[in-house]
Amino acid sequence: MAQPHMRTFVAISFLLLSNVASAENPRVHGYRFGDGLTVSREGRYRLNLSGYVQPSLEVQDYLGSGPEGLNPRFRLRRLRLRLVGDAPQQKLSFRLHVDLSGSSEVGDEASNFLLDAFVAFRPTRTLRIVFGQRTTYTDNRELFIRSHALQFVERSRVTSAFSAIREVGLFVDDRIRIGETSHYLRPYLVITNGDGPNTFSADHGGLKFGGRVDYLPFGLFYDRGQFREVDLVRELVPRLVVGVAYSYNFGVSSRRGRGSGEIIYLNDQGEESLPDFGKFGLDFMFKYRGFSILGEFNWTHARVPDDITQRVRNDGSIATTFTGGVDAFVRGRMMLGRGYNLQLGYIFDSDTSVDLRYTHLDADENSFLNNGTFYNRPNYYTLGLSQYFTNRYGFKVQASLTFVDTNPGTNDFFSQPTDGDELIGRFMSTLAF
């Protein structure tokens, strides 16, 4: 499945790099392990080609009734290639980022190839205007971190429960220094279609509007440390960023705005009538001398139209039944509730990192977070251990052990009832090139 995509990406990358290499007085900066290959002409252009591969193993054990024995799962978690270009004189840049593993963080096999595809314009040194598809600024802070620079093997359940991850639209960000102090503000503005990534089908609902403001009271992080989870650079002075975000999606046709046309409701006239979806987030990150801590809180809410009388089944047929009533039924298919994630860690001089995480999900009375197979698990306790072999995320191995506290009515991955908690072990290696 990935081979045609692979050939297309390689052909585009080779063409761009060849054009740069054949230009007047190009300079090949060379290959830096973990940072990729860079070709440029000073002051005129810059191209960087990089990527990483992440083979992984996951083992799950049901501590109560459920499938007997361990349940191993081997897979290629990610195989990603990233091409970034910058033309300073024109104040333009672009990014093309693809995943060739066949896995997907958004759970949509039809849209797991293209991750980022956007063009950016910088009218000033700090202001940037982006148009295209990319990770969205209104998600929790963990989504600011690229997958090869995560503290644990996997992202937290707050991310999987509430995040849109990637969207198509307009993204604006800036960096503002407050007077002559070391204080900075980073404001972000987002206007998207609200239907997640790669929306090639018919558009449903209205637009999504959102924003974020980050405050950095102790100055900027060193070497993009604000966008890495582990303090590999060992900040010499305390660094802190605190952020608040909000978004409102006018008419969602999926559980949280990750997809288009997955869940459709109609009124008496057969016209689409979709619920709105709002999300509030508060988060922070602190780093100092190898110690790091990340905290996140998300709260989601919905507005259900009072004219819904019909729903579209998965097979395209129309139904007029709503178990529990229209409002409760519609909310029960959305990701509504609260969640918070707190993780901390310390990296030793040996480049070994020991990390702890606690994640809690609190579902509304009517919410898909109560689904027994995929959620209905309020607490996640994780111990992580990572060994870094370079200080640029070039190569690392990671392992984690997660204890999952389940609610009554939880099912195993075969959708069969289980009456105990769960234990999940994960192992993954990352090689960036």
Side-chain angles (χ1 to χ4, degrees), residues 158 161-163 246-247 255-256 276-281 297-303 331 334-339 362-364 366-367 369:
V158 167
F162 301 114
S163 297
Y246 185 77
S247 63
R255 302 195 192 283
R256 58 176 91 61
D276 297 342
F277 183 78
K279 181 171 66 175
F280 170 80
F297 170 78
N298 271 180
W299 168 65
T300 58
H301 62 97
R303 186 196 69 84
R331 293 177 183 273
M334 302 177 70
M335 308 299 283
L336 300 177
R338 291 144 299 280
D362 180 21
D364 284 357
N366 297 301
S367 170
L369 289 172

Side-chain angles (χ1 to χ4, degrees), residues 159-411:
T159 296
S160 62
F162 301 114
S163 297
I165 301 183
R166 283 179 170 83
E167 296 183 303
V168 180
L170 180 70
F171 308 84
V172 181
D173 63 274
D174 200 357
R175 186 181 73 241
I176 303 170
R177 184 174 182 177
I178 303 176
E180 299 299 322
T181 69
S182 61
H183 299 227
Y184 284 86
L185 287 177
R186 287 184 181 268
Y188 301 85
L189 174 67
V190 174
I191 304 175
T192 71
N193 62 355
D195 290 330
N198 277 10
T199 307
F200 298 120
S201 59
D203 184 51
H204 298 273
L207 296 176
K208 175 180 176 180
F209 298 87
R212 162 184 282 273
V213 177
D214 283 351
Y215 173 55
L216 295 90
F218 307 135
L220 302 178
F221 288 70
Y222 177 73
D223 194 21
R224 294 182 60 80
Q226 183 181 341
F227 308 101
R228 308 286 188 268
E229 283 190 335
V230 177
D231 186 20
L232 277 179
V233 300
R234 296 176 172 85
E235 297 280 1
L236 296 179
V237 296
R239 300 297 185 190
L240 172 68
V241 56
V242 180
V244 59
Y246 185 77
S247 63
Y248 197 83
N249 197 335
F250 290 90
V252 293
S253 57
S254 61
R255 302 195 192 283
R256 58 176 91 61
R258 278 191 196 170
S260 177
E262 297 174 2
I263 303 175
I264 299 294
Y265 302 101
L266 308 173
N267 58 25
D268 281 336
Q269 286 70 45
E271 301 166 336
E272 287 189 4
S273 182
L274 303 175
D276 297 342
F277 183 78
K279 181 171 66 175
F280 170 80
L282 181 66
D283 48 50
F284 74 93
M285 176 186 285
F286 175 82
K287 290 185 176 182
Y288 181 55
R289 294 187 180 275
F291 174 78
S292 61
I293 181 169
L294 172 70
E296 303 168 302
F297 170 78
N298 271 180
W299 168 65
T300 58
H301 62 97
R303 186 196 69 84
V304 179
D306 56 12
D307 64 343
I308 294 177
T309 58
Q310 307 172 74
R311 58 185 174 91
V312 181
R313 295 191 180 101
N314 292 335
D315 61 4
S317 60
I318 303 297
T320 57
T321 57
F322 292 86
T323 304
V326 172
D327 187 84
F329 184 91
V330 173
R331 293 177 183 273
R333 302 174 78 185
M334 302 177 70
M335 308 299 283
L336 300 177
R338 291 144 299 280
Y340 59 82
N341 176 58
L342 182 65
Q343 58 190 62
L344 56 89
Y346 181 77
I347 184 165
F348 295 88
D349 292 339
S350 62
D351 288 338
T352 301
S353 178
V354 178
D355 309 291
L356 297 172
R357 168 195 279 166
Y358 171 62
T359 304
H360 175 73
L361 298 179
D362 180 21
D364 284 357
E365 179 180 359
N366 297 301
S367 170
F368 193 76
L369 289 172
N370 295 312
N371 181 274
T373 300
F374 300 103
Y375 291 96
N376 201 37
R377 295 155 170 85
N379 300 304
Y380 301 79
Y381 308 86
T382 301
L383 170 65
L385 183 66
S386 303
Q387 179 64 53
Y388 296 81
F389 295 93
T390 71
N391 63 0
R392 303 290 298 181
Y393 292 95
F395 178 55
K396 64 176 178 177
V397 293
Q398 295 178 284
S400 68
L401 186 65
T402 300
F403 177 82
V404 183
D405 181 23
T406 63
N407 280 333
T410 301
N411 302 327

Side-chain angles (χ1 to χ4, degrees), residues 45-60:
Y45 52 75
R46 177 181 175 273
L47 278 179
N48 174 262
L49 178 63
S50 62
Y52 57 94
V53 58
Q54 292 181 320
S56 71
L57 166 65
E58 180 177 305
V59 179
Q60 187 167 1

